[in-house]
Amino acid sequence: MTYNASDIEVLEGLEPVRKRPAMYIGGTDTTGYHHLLWEIVDNSVDEAINGHATRIEVDLDPDLLGVTVADNGRGIPVDVHPKHKKPALEIILTTLHAGGKFEGKGYQVSGGLHGVGSSVVNALASELTATVWRDGKTYVQRFERGATKSKLKNEGRTSKRGTQIHFRPDPEIFGAKARFDSARIRERLEAKSYLHKGLKIVFKDEKGRREELEHPGGIVEYLAKRISESGKPPVHPEPFCLEREDTEVRLELALQWTEAPEERIESFANGIPTGNGGTHDAGLKAAIGKAVRGYMDAQNVKVKGVKITAEDIREGLVAMISVYVREPQFQGQTKNRLNNPEVAGAVEALVRTSLEQWLLEKRSAAEAILGRIVMAARAREASRAAVKEVKRKTAVSHRLNLPGKLADCQTTDPDEAELFLVEGDSAGGNAKQGRDRRTQAILPLRGKVLNAERATAAQVLANKELQNVVSALGCGLGKAFDIEKLRYGKVFLLMDADADGHHIATLLLTFFYRHMPALVRGGHVYLAMPPLYRIDAAKESYWALDDADRDRFIASLPKNAKIDISRFKGLGEMPAEDLKATTLDPRRRRALRVVIDDELATDAAMNELMGKDAAPRYTFIMENAATAAAEELDV
């Protein structure tokens, strides 16, 4: 098959819109169908935002296949464009990226920014008629599927002013069954009437029922409506309301805490609903959290036994935020999210100080809000504890699935529970005698476990010792791994300090690293380091990690003190360099520095393996003869 210049297709005019409508309206489903109407309505709203219109009328056709939108704004210009030699109305409706909203020339603030809204509607409409009342005259022009079907006509004098657009979405694009939904349209128009005080929206449905939507109270009224609809009463009588403006943004805000179990924040940018939030939403959330914490610090409020999170602070909150930005950066033509980075900081600065001051002035409201926040935090902690209890009890109740050699602990809290993997039954018996039965479980392992670095997944699953480890932990492995099902928050490898013990510990670490890496990264795996010497002085016994530790302790004793120094069996085979790797007291079971091939890992290797902040917390020792995994640290 040849491929040359003749195969390159250039789409002109509005052809790209009809070829790929989803790029412009999000899809050809019901949402995309109604998006055409929102584009036309938003153009009329832009006239109102900039003080040129006070009234918008939306009339549905009786068959729900068409709609008319009219406003009393300035009217789309109809004079001939000096460059393109066509009426401005025709250019706007037939050319992508044509409009008066660039560079702030025609509009200081607007919801439109690409100059494609009206032309996209025209391209996807089977028919569109534009009527303009301007300069005392009525002008009419008709279009079909984006193509001009009549010249601009002057149809006589009038005292009216504004623009009227009637269109019918194209069934070739949306399908023959597509229709407008009057309830959906009314809800959207009502939201517009709340957002723009002084704007009257008249809606006439397919049955001719006429309704005037006008709300002088603005978003404060809207907030009361939303709270009433929720059925959850507010916890303080008066909402917090704010109208502010700086060089970046003009803001209107109303919020109130309720007894609802979730938060509800509705955000708008330049009169357009931003269902996916954005930077204005993020700025508001940050401001609320900092204002509440600022109030708590100013009043020296301390909450015992629970940590307050940002989610606790916002639980039950109902908020309406509307911002106006000169150069909005929406995410796509459907405008579901505002992306202007400067808006977040501007909103946070405008809201934070005002809300904190309001809390200080409205002490009864502040106390009620704080009580609601503390209740949310305690409920969250109780819920989390209950979930852990259920998961732990579920795991404990299935004792038939647990290894027979496991000496389990009594606690049902994974955060307290510890599992010690020990070398052989003899070591297991000794460990059981010295353990804390409430929090510490012991699992003896027989001999050297399988080298997971060189074995297949099937071989790993078939290995009895590794099966016991997986069963005891309860969280699965590989793709089935679920950290939430982990029965023990800490897993200690308690091996002999000889070469065999090192080898077993390395094999286990390799297994965790390859099949349960989240345990290593999450700080759940520890390597126990026994001391090299026991020192008996008088009636007390002490332990020394190495020769230097022994000498320091002996020097601290009186010169005539009787001491007995015992070197633990097998420890003489441990290289001294291994002991130097630690910078923490091993008796506290803290992690070692990473040792690879008998050398301390570089900071870069540590960061790559565990993450920069977490690296020093973990233990991962590998030796030349133990496993090939040391050569493949490629997490």
Side-chain angles (χ1 to χ4, degrees):
M1 179 182 292
T2 60
Y3 179 58
N4 50 44
S6 62
D7 297 311
I8 304 301
E9 182 181 2
V10 179
L11 300 179
E12 299 180 351
L14 297 179
E15 285 183 86
V17 182
R18 293 187 63 82
K19 200 80 171 178
R20 299 286 187 268
M23 291 179 59
Y24 299 89
I25 60 172
T28 55
D29 55 2
T30 300
T31 300
Y33 194 91
H34 286 79
H35 186 79
L36 300 182
L37 175 57
W38 310 149
E39 289 285 2
I40 301 301
V41 170
D42 287 341
N43 286 338
S44 294
V45 170
D46 286 343
E47 285 287 290
I49 292 175
N50 288 272
H52 305 301
T54 59
R55 181 186 180 92
I56 298 173
E57 296 185 12
V58 179
D59 295 351
L60 279 175
D61 289 358
D63 58 6
L64 292 174
L65 294 175
V67 64
T68 301
V69 180
D71 64 58
N72 64 347
R74 293 169 292 180
I76 297 175
V78 294
D79 52 319
V80 176
H81 193 278
K83 179 179 178 181
H84 298 282
K85 309 303 180 184
K86 292 181 181 180
L89 174 66
E90 183 176 345
I91 293 173
I92 288 171
L93 291 172
T94 60
T95 308
L96 291 176
H97 307 295
K101 299 172 183 178
F102 304 108
E103 307 298 334
K105 292 179 180 179
Y107 296 82
Q108 288 189 343
V109 175
S110 70
L113 63 155
H114 300 135
V116 301
S118 296
S119 54
V120 165
V121 175
N122 192 20
L124 301 178
S126 59
E127 60 179 85
L128 183 147
T129 301
T131 303
V132 177
W133 303 292
R134 187 181 173 99
D135 303 324
K137 298 177 183 178
T138 299
Y139 299 91
V140 178
Q141 192 166 17
R142 284 179 284 276
F143 307 85
E144 290 181 7
R145 296 182 171 90
T148 304
K149 287 300 176 182
S150 73
K151 292 184 178 181
L152 181 67
K153 295 181 181 179
N154 180 348
E155 296 195 347
R157 301 193 62 80
T158 182
S159 60
K160 298 172 66 175
R161 71 167 197 165
T163 301
Q164 175 180 286
I165 301 290
H166 174 269
F167 72 95
R168 294 168 76 86
D170 191 351
E172 292 181 6
I173 301 294
F174 299 98
K177 295 183 179 180
R179 298 288 188 279
F180 282 114
D181 183 339
S182 59
R184 184 175 189 166
I185 294 170
R186 186 202 174 281
E187 182 180 5
R188 178 85 168 216
L189 295 178
E190 186 176 37
K192 298 284 187 185
S193 67
Y194 280 111
L195 289 172
H196 307 289
K197 294 182 288 187
L199 174 63
K200 178 184 288 186
I201 299 179
V202 180
F203 175 55
K204 189 170 72 173
D205 67 13
E206 73 280 8
K207 296 181 180 179
R209 293 174 296 201
R210 188 173 181 275
E211 184 178 5
E212 293 187 356
L213 305 172
E214 186 175 17
H215 298 283
I219 62 173
V220 178
E221 247 187 279
Y222 200 11
L223 178 72
K225 178 178 183 292
R226 284 289 190 247
I227 293 176
S228 176
E229 290 172 347
S230 72
K232 301 295 183 181
V235 299
H236 54 102
E238 295 181 8
F240 168 74
C241 306
L242 182 67
E243 290 190 25
R244 288 285 190 276
E245 183 172 1
D246 68 3
T247 57
E248 302 291 347
V249 64
R250 175 160 62 92
L251 173 142
E252 295 180 21
L253 171 67
L255 60 83
Q256 198 165 12
W257 274 265
T258 72
E259 295 180 3
E262 68 283 326
E263 68 178 82
R264 179 173 184 174
I265 298 177
E266 295 189 39
S267 60
F268 306 85
N270 290 15
I272 296 173
T274 45
N276 293 335
T279 50
H280 53 334
D281 180 87
L284 174 62
K285 290 179 179 178
I288 291 171
K290 291 178 180 178
V292 170
R293 294 189 188 280
Y295 169 80
M296 293 174 66
D297 291 341
Q299 299 300 305
N300 197 28
V301 176
K302 305 294 182 183
V303 182
K304 295 183 179 180
V306 67
K307 181 180 179 181
I308 303 295
T309 68
E311 289 73 20
D312 297 330
I313 291 173
R314 297 196 306 271
E315 182 175 305
L317 178 72
V318 181
M320 300 284 169
I321 178 171
S322 176
V323 299
Y324 296 89
V325 186
R326 289 185 179 273
E327 295 291 338
Q329 297 175 20
F330 290 108
Q331 185 170 294
Q333 180 62 24
T334 53
K335 304 171 186 174
N336 282 324
R337 181 180 178 84
L338 182 68
N339 288 340
N340 292 64
E342 74 279 2
V343 171
V347 170
E348 181 181 334
L350 291 172
V351 175
R352 178 184 177 181
T353 304
S354 298
L355 178 56
E356 185 174 342
Q357 185 62 35
W358 182 83
L359 291 170
L360 291 170
E361 294 174 355
K362 306 285 185 178
R363 297 297 293 276
S364 60
E367 290 176 3
I369 293 168
L370 193 57
R372 174 71 179 83
I373 292 170
V374 173
M375 181 182 70
R378 295 195 186 284
R380 175 182 51 78
E381 289 287 350
S383 175
R384 179 171 174 268
V387 169
K388 282 188 176 182
E389 183 80 3
V390 169
K391 288 182 177 180
R392 173 66 182 170
K393 284 184 176 179
T394 299
V396 171
S397 66
H398 293 81
R399 294 198 176 269
L400 291 177
N401 296 327
L402 294 178
K405 293 184 178 181
L406 175 68
D408 207 356
C409 55
Q410 297 171 348
T411 182
T412 59
D413 184 356
D415 288 342
E416 291 185 334
E418 301 174 348
L419 176 64
F420 287 79
L421 302 179
V422 300
E423 182 183 347
D425 294 339
S426 176
N430 293 332
K432 291 175 188 177
Q433 294 179 14
R435 69 168 175 152
D436 181 345
R437 295 175 60 88
R438 193 183 75 83
T439 61
Q440 296 174 336
I442 308 296
L443 177 62
L445 299 177
R446 184 177 179 181
K448 294 182 180 180
V449 300
L450 186 69
N451 186 346
E453 183 68 21
R454 296 172 180 171
T456 65
Q459 289 173 325
V460 169
L461 292 172
N463 183 265
K464 181 61 177 176
E465 301 306 309
L466 295 181
Q467 278 183 11
N468 288 343
V469 174
V470 174
S471 298
L473 294 176
C475 56
L477 77 164
K479 294 182 179 179
F481 181 84
D482 184 357
I483 194 68
E484 294 297 324
K485 295 180 180 179
L486 182 64
R487 299 178 69 244
Y488 305 94
K490 295 179 180 178
V491 181
F492 295 102
L493 309 188
L494 184 58
M495 310 302 163
D496 290 344
D498 55 15
D500 285 341
H502 275 318
H503 196 178
I504 294 171
T506 304
L507 292 173
L508 285 170
L509 286 169
T510 303
F511 167 68
F512 290 132
Y513 175 60
R514 289 303 182 194
H515 297 278
M516 298 181 179
L519 288 185
V520 179
R521 297 191 184 101
H524 298 285
V525 181
Y526 296 77
L527 184 62
M529 282 287 291
L532 185 59
Y533 296 100
R534 187 181 76 188
I535 304 172
D536 294 325
K539 296 181 180 181
E540 300 294 334
S541 294
Y542 303 90
W543 290 267
L545 177 64
D546 55 17
D547 292 351
D549 195 20
R550 176 202 61 191
D551 294 341
R552 280 194 298 270
F553 178 76
I554 293 175
S556 69
L557 295 174
K559 292 183 179 180
N560 59 350
K562 283 189 174 183
I563 60 174
D564 181 19
I565 303 176
S566 301
R567 188 179 177 94
F568 285 102
K569 182 179 180 181
L571 289 178
E573 298 178 22
M574 176 181 287
E577 289 300 315
D578 286 1
L579 295 174
K580 293 179 182 178
T582 182
T583 58
L584 297 172
D585 184 349
R587 287 167 292 181
R588 297 180 182 176
R589 305 188 190 93
R590 299 293 176 84
L592 296 171
R593 300 277 294 279
V594 172
V595 179
I596 302 175
D597 292 347
D598 298 330
E599 294 183 3
L600 287 177
T602 64
D603 289 343
M606 290 282 287
N607 293 346
E608 182 179 0
L609 179 64
M610 303 296 182
K612 182 177 180 180
D613 295 331
R617 296 177 50 227
Y618 306 118
T619 301
F620 206 87
I621 292 183
M622 289 186 163
E623 298 181 1
N624 283 324
T627 178
E631 300 172 2
E632 301 182 17
L633 294 179
D634 56 353
V635 177

